[in-house]
Amino acid sequence: MPNGPAVRRRKLGAELRALRARLGITSGDAARLVGWHQSKVSRIETGASGVKPADVRLLLDAYGVTEPELRELLLMLAGPDTGGGRHHWWHAYRGVLPPTYRDFISLESQATSVRTLENSVVPGLLQTREYARAVTRAAAGGRPQDELDALVEVRLARQEVLRARRPLELSAVLDEAVLRREVGGPGVMARQLVRLREAARLPQVRLQVLPFAAGAHVGVTGPFVIFSFSSTSDLDVVVLDHLTSSLYLDRKEDLETYTEAFHALQFHALSPEDSLDYIAGIGDGT
């Protein structure tokens, strides 16, 4: 399976190819419009090579693409501008963040909505500082303290997408184990449960609990995240997280399978209102 950057190159190439085809011109015609060799356009469209944001701008201008959201999204897929342009905030942490995590944050920052199933821990976008520190220490405890601190700061900085002018829409299904596992101890967990109840009342957050009583379900195979984008569903991505890497799935069949699985999980989970009561009950020790 491809890693994050490969998925992004392929998606970007497919979108640029579609834009060119919409104009009814060949890759050779496109190359002449921007002063390149035809092979460069072909490599970009097939995802065989990376492309600079400046080159994407040239192609978008040549294709007459003026829609701000689409331009921004395609430029995001091209990656950071190393020619003196503005870097996104997470590049300040590139020394401690693996490429797949940087790619995850980049997608998260531009997505319109996120759907996630969590079986073990609270989603990063909803974690308190204490909880995030405990999780980070458990997952990357062999790192120096300054790196652990940086990873916690990254986790908290990611949460700004929920407070943006146009906030990310988050739909999360949490297995009951997430709520019962005492990460960081009883005090940390109690405050984390309060944070979940506060977040669940936000209009852009839909939180549902999948209780133990629901029995076996399609999500027992592991957690997943679905990123969706407003400009085109062709850019949607499923992310599967593992101990040493992340897998990014963008095939239509994969997206349909995981979307159907998430709908099934929502159906079997408690309603958002009942989930709030359930979390409160666990917090009260019931």
Side-chain angles (χ1 to χ4, degrees), residues 29-30 49 56 72 111 113 115 118 142 192 195 203 223 266 271 279:
D29 294 332
S49 64
V56 173
E72 182 180 3
S113 66
R115 288 163 285 177
E118 286 292 350
Q192 178 61 70
R195 166 66 179 138
Q266 288 184 307
S271 69
I279 294 171

Side-chain angles (χ1 to χ4, degrees), residues 117-188:
L117 164 71
E118 286 292 350
N119 290 336
S120 299
V121 297
V122 171
L125 294 179
L126 303 177
Q127 293 177 7
T128 65
R129 178 179 292 274
E130 297 170 299
Y131 187 99
R133 186 172 298 281
V135 169
T136 302
R137 187 179 296 113
R143 292 199 180 199
Q145 187 59 48
D146 61 335
E147 291 189 8
L148 293 177
D149 291 341
L151 289 172
V152 172
E153 292 304 320
V154 167
R155 182 69 56 90
L156 298 176
R158 283 174 47 202
Q159 299 176 4
E160 287 298 319
V161 295
L162 295 177
R163 297 185 285 269
R165 183 175 60 85
R166 298 176 63 184
L168 178 75
E169 295 180 4
L170 173 64
S171 295
V173 174
L174 308 185
D175 190 277
E176 185 172 344
V178 173
L179 310 176
R180 298 286 184 182
R181 180 171 289 105
E182 289 191 352
V183 174
V188 170

Side-chain angles (χ1 to χ4, degrees), residues 214-226:
H217 53 77
V218 68
V220 296
T221 55
F224 60 86
V225 178
I226 306 173

